[in-house]
Amino acid sequence: MSLLGRATFPPMHIHVADHPLIAHKLTLLRDERTDSPTFRRLADELVTLLAYEAMREVRTQQVTVRTPVAEAQGRQLSAPKPLVVPILRAGLGMLEGMQRLLPTAEVGFLGMIRDEATLRASTYAERLPDDLSGRQCYLLDPMLATGGTLSAAIEFLVRRGADQVTAICLLAAPEGIARVERDVAGLSVPFVLVTAGLDERLDDRGYIVPGLGDAGDRLYGVV
Ligand code: URA
């Protein structure tokens, strides 16, 4: 059975975690008393649980293997390999948890920054293949807040040719979901969001309420 409940907001699909173990870890993650090493470990474990569900649509092909007894039909990940893309900086804290489940995936990096005047997100760093044709891409970003960064990242991947994008976020705010939903509606590529929790709202600083604070700071300390 699925680990996660499924809600559909066409044209994007949203999976919100509905599992006691995910709820338990998320509650510890939110707690302001949780220190950085524990926060990193919990985020890592949560990502592995979320990645399990996010991989439900990963493409596979039929293969034949020989067991010690006989031939068996099975499935293996198809080529081209899925591409995992953490959004810098906080998405890096999710990478190991993802790689644990999908060790053969390739990894690209995307650095996004928001212009505080225009509120538009743009790319300041990228290390990705030029051609993503036929690739399934898995974006890692812990907090879907205003949605500007995630929308820009999805658009970036689709422009490079990605034909399916899934984002794994620890938490999401309704405002961010609405923004991404509006923005991806113009892209003819399926988009799936997998998250451990859908929170109430954003505050006037753009923080998710109740959220967990600044994910980057809690992972890596304030810089
Ligand atoms: N980014 C964070 O790290 N936390 C929030 O609550 C919103 C955006």
Side-chain angles (χ1 to χ4, degrees):
M1 202 177 91
S2 168
L3 277 175
L4 308 174
R6 182 176 181 133
T8 309
F9 300 80
M12 80 188 219
H13 293 283
I14 304 177
H15 299 268
V16 182
D18 179 21
H19 191 285
L21 202 52
I22 292 177
H24 170 78
K25 289 180 191 295
L26 180 60
T27 304
L28 291 171
L29 197 75
R30 289 185 191 276
D31 192 329
E32 63 180 3
R33 296 168 300 180
T34 299
D35 62 17
S36 251
T38 313
F39 189 95
R40 281 198 296 274
R41 180 178 55 74
L42 287 165
D44 179 76
E45 291 169 359
L46 267 172
V47 172
T48 303
L49 293 170
L50 294 176
Y52 176 75
E53 186 64 23
M55 292 286 131
R56 192 167 284 281
E57 314 286 338
V58 76
R59 292 179 193 132
T60 58
Q61 65 191 38
Q62 190 165 349
V63 292
T64 306
V65 292
R66 172 159 286 284
T67 77
V69 180
E71 273 193 352
Q73 301 301 315
R75 303 204 68 82
Q76 275 183 349
L77 295 182
S78 326
K81 288 179 184 169
L83 185 73
V84 176
V85 184
I87 300 181
L88 305 177
R89 108 186 126 132
L92 274 185
M94 301 170 73
L95 182 56
E96 251 185 73
M98 186 75 183
Q99 285 180 305
R100 184 170 305 115
L101 205 68
L102 201 61
T104 57
E106 286 174 9
V107 180
F109 297 90
L110 202 48
M112 310 288 302
I113 193 160
R114 190 168 77 151
D115 182 318
E116 292 306 327
T118 64
L119 298 184
R120 283 189 63 82
S122 60
T123 310
Y124 72 84
E126 62 107 344
R127 190 69 196 254
L128 290 166
D130 286 339
D131 183 7
L132 294 176
S133 302
R135 300 292 288 262
Q136 287 180 295
C137 295
Y138 293 85
L139 278 168
L140 306 179
D141 194 8
M143 308 297 272
L144 171 49
T146 64
T149 300
L150 190 60
S151 275
I154 297 165
E155 197 184 325
F156 187 96
L157 297 177
V158 172
R159 276 184 199 279
R160 288 267 170 110
D163 67 354
Q164 207 220 316
V165 181
T166 299
I168 301 178
C169 300
L170 299 179
L171 285 177
E175 294 91 330
I177 289 180
R179 162 86 188 263
V180 173
E181 186 181 14
R182 202 182 63 226
D183 292 348
V184 301
L187 308 171
S188 55
V189 162
F191 172 69
V192 178
L193 169 68
V194 177
T195 182
L198 186 50
D199 272 7
E200 287 167 34
R201 61 183 170 86
L202 295 181
D203 70 10
D204 51 12
R205 297 175 308 153
Y207 277 87
I208 297 179
V209 181
L212 49 75
D214 188 304
D217 289 353
R218 295 199 65 189
L219 283 164
Y220 302 119
V222 183
V223 287

